[in-house]
Amino acid sequence: MSIKEKIYSFIARRQPQREAKWPHWESVKHVLVLYESDFVEKNPAIRTIRTELQKHHIDAVFWGYVPKKEVQSAVLPKSRIVGMKDFTIFGFPCKELVQDLQQQEYDIVIDLNQSNALPLRYLCLLAKAGFKSGMAPIGQLPNAPMVQSPCDLQIHTQPQETPEFLFQQILYYLTNIQSND
């Protein structure tokens, strides 16, 4: 485990415990979608996911991360792509980014992070949401410490699957599992 992972684990353990409540899909109004942006910042898969959420009349905000210093995309109210300069050397988001992230509370966070990118895990950890879902950490060695995931629902898929596939799996479980809450 790298020093960055150890710092992340320390910060994750120090976060206040929250009680996750399984969302009733019919009552979901606000969703935060975290994803890994492609290098040219076009993201056709995210457009498909945005359209799917609009069909359900859900107000969705999309935050992407691209591992490069300068981001070309503009910061919009419902869409933002962040880069390496928005995070410290240890992967923690800068103060302004955390403030922007925590301005709104979401019903669900959908984390489409498929490579365990540390900046996206921090964003998922720090987002204010009643329920968090995403891909289960991959690449665990048999005796290695577990990578901590801030997600309440973790989907096991192959790393080569597309973000649309992961989104469809998460959506399937969110819409079909009924809670007694």
Side-chain angles (χ1 to χ4, degrees), residues 18 20-22 129-134 149-154:
R18 59 183 186 79
K21 290 189 178 185
W22 191 270
F131 190 80
K132 298 178 182 183
S133 61
S149 174
C151 295
D152 305 309
L153 170 66
Q154 297 181 22

Side-chain angles (χ1 to χ4, degrees), residues 25 52 56 166-176:
W25 185 249
E52 180 73 25
H56 293 280
L166 179 58
F167 174 76
Q168 289 301 327
Q169 292 296 306
I170 292 170
L171 189 61
Y172 173 80
Y173 289 107
L174 290 175
T175 56
N176 287 313

Side-chain angles (χ1 to χ4, degrees), residues 91-170:
F92 193 79
C94 66
K95 185 178 181 180
E96 296 82 21
L97 197 62
V98 173
Q99 288 173 345
D100 290 350
L101 178 67
Q102 294 182 339
Q103 279 182 354
Q104 180 169 351
E105 189 163 335
Y106 301 95
D107 297 318
I108 300 174
V109 172
I110 298 176
D111 183 3
L112 301 176
N113 179 11
Q114 293 177 283
S115 67
N116 293 330
L118 194 59
L120 284 173
R121 280 195 282 153
Y122 272 118
L123 292 178
C124 186
L125 177 70
L126 297 173
K128 294 189 324 188
F131 190 80
K132 298 178 182 183
S133 61
M135 186 171 161
I138 56 170
Q140 293 292 320
L141 297 173
N143 294 323
M146 286 295 294
V147 174
Q148 281 189 300
S149 174
C151 295
D152 305 309
L153 170 66
Q154 297 181 22
I155 305 293
H156 292 271
T157 64
Q158 297 300 318
Q160 68 271 15
E161 294 294 349
T162 64
E164 294 105 324
F165 178 80
L166 179 58
F167 174 76
Q168 289 301 327
Q169 292 296 306
I170 292 170

